[in-house]
Amino acid sequence: MEQKKIKHCVRENTAYVLRLTWNIRRVLIPICLTAIAATMLMPLVTMYLPRTVLAQLEAGTSISVLVLTILGFTGLLTLLRAVKVWAESMMERDGMMIRIERTWANHHMAFTCDYDWYDSADFVAGHEKAMDTVRNSNAPFEAIFPCLVKLCAGALGFLAYLGILLRVGWWIAPLTAACTVFTALLRMRSNRLRESGREQFWQYYKRSDYITTSAMDAKAAKDIRLFGIASWFRELFDTQLRLFDDWNSGMERGLLMADLLDCGMTVIREGVAYFVLISMVLNKQITVPDFVLYFAAVGGFSAWISDVMSAYTELDRH
């Protein structure tokens, strides 16, 4: 009876890695939380710096207070950047230690399993698949931690910027989110199209190369001349070339359409939001410092959504 293969979802795989981390190197969890906080706070502090300085300038604040404000923000950014670098360094070290431990665990299973099972095709395939998760720093057991940091920081940043944009209007955030998600989906589709296109290209290349190699084969040279089939090889090659050209043109049209839609969504997302903000400034509904803040928040909000989607895609791939 054929065994049914069990495929675990992203949530289950992530929970398993976190439980394993808690059991063998739990210090990595607070390090990841520190990296998440630093990653989320740095853009937030950077965005509030010009807004705070402009507000103080409008209020006629003294130069000394302005200098202290700029120094305070700069010091905070420097501290956050240092904390982020430290956390990423520790995360890389501890992630590598977890990967090494899992490598040994995989080998230990091979050493101690039943000998009759050791030579079975199922065990060899399972052991090879388990080793694929720990082979290098890009393998899932180590690469999952930067993905989780990016995903969680993006989610928190999304919520923080959502709260800022809701002050402008309830519809700004949904419009920006919808355009960004649509753009991200287009880019994912384009990437998949390029990946499949690379495989298709090699198929055409191998066929054309086989035709060319066969035509140049010295053993077939006499038969080619005797039966006059050089033109037949040429027809085969021209057919493959025509098929490749038709396929490549279709793929390029698909990629061009995706790029045009991407540009259109960007114009709608940025253009509408900026038009509303400029109108609100001219109508004195918001101040210039608030305009600078909301202006930066629109772009930052889109960036957080893109980070969440790219991180989840990468997590699903691992």
Side-chain angles (χ1 to χ4, degrees), residues 10-282:
V10 174
R11 178 181 56 82
E12 292 172 335
N13 289 332
T14 303
Y16 170 73
V17 173
L18 290 178
R19 285 197 304 269
L20 192 67
T21 303
W22 180 260
N23 291 330
I24 63 178
R25 208 166 186 87
R26 64 184 61 182
V27 69
L28 183 55
I29 293 180
I31 290 175
C32 289
L33 293 175
T34 303
I36 291 170
T39 302
M40 189 273 290
L41 289 174
M42 281 179 59
L44 203 60
V45 173
T46 303
M47 185 176 64
Y48 268 96
L49 171 59
R51 191 264 180 199
T52 304
V53 171
L54 283 174
Q56 290 183 341
L57 286 173
E58 282 190 344
T61 307
S62 63
I63 297 296
S64 60
V65 175
L66 281 174
V67 170
L68 288 175
T69 300
I70 295 173
L71 288 177
F73 272 94
T74 304
L76 182 56
L77 283 172
T78 303
L79 177 62
L80 289 173
R81 188 171 290 109
V83 169
K84 182 183 177 185
V85 171
W86 170 83
E88 288 175 347
S89 176
M90 294 296 100
M91 191 166 56
E92 181 179 354
R93 184 201 66 182
D94 291 323
M96 181 181 64
M97 296 304 296
I98 290 178
R99 179 168 60 85
I100 292 173
E101 193 280 335
R102 293 312 302 167
T103 302
W104 166 251
N106 291 339
H107 287 314
H108 184 265
M109 180 181 294
F111 299 154
T112 57
C113 73
D114 187 83
Y115 183 76
D116 294 333
W117 190 38
Y118 182 78
D119 286 334
S120 67
D122 289 340
F123 177 81
V124 172
H127 184 259
E128 187 67 21
K129 186 175 181 181
M131 291 304 298
D132 286 340
T133 65
V134 293
R135 289 196 187 280
N136 51 52
S137 59
N138 293 322
F141 258 103
E142 187 171 344
I144 189 174
F145 298 107
C147 288
L148 287 175
V149 168
K150 185 178 181 181
L151 178 65
C152 295
L156 291 175
F158 167 81
L159 293 175
Y161 279 56
L162 176 64
I164 295 173
L165 289 180
L166 287 177
R167 302 178 195 171
V168 180
W170 66 267
W171 56 272
I172 288 285
L175 173 66
T176 305
C179 292
T180 304
V181 170
F182 186 75
T183 300
L185 292 176
L186 280 176
R187 291 173 182 171
M188 291 168 61
R189 181 182 178 279
S190 297
N191 291 335
R192 286 196 298 267
L193 188 60
R194 288 187 177 93
E195 288 294 328
S196 62
R198 190 176 293 112
E199 297 177 2
Q200 191 72 19
F201 167 78
W202 280 111
Q203 290 180 9
Y204 283 115
Y205 175 81
K206 289 177 181 177
R207 292 170 189 166
S208 301
D209 182 66
Y210 177 76
I211 294 170
T212 304
T213 304
S214 300
M216 295 297 294
D217 188 1
K219 297 179 180 179
K222 184 178 179 180
D223 292 335
I224 291 174
R225 287 158 178 79
L226 182 63
F227 296 105
I229 58 176
S231 59
W232 178 72
F233 276 109
R234 181 66 194 184
E235 289 177 6
L236 286 177
F237 186 83
D238 288 344
T239 300
Q240 286 299 315
L241 193 62
R242 185 172 59 256
L243 290 173
F244 170 76
D245 186 56
D246 293 341
W247 164 80
N248 188 60
S249 298
M251 189 185 72
E252 291 297 331
R253 283 194 298 270
L255 292 175
L256 177 61
M257 183 61 64
D259 290 339
L260 290 176
L261 288 173
D262 188 353
C263 293
M265 287 297 102
T266 301
V267 170
I268 293 174
R269 181 186 68 207
E270 310 289 342
V272 171
Y274 295 156
F275 175 78
V276 171
L277 290 176
I278 292 172
S279 300
M280 294 178 73
V281 170
L282 295 177

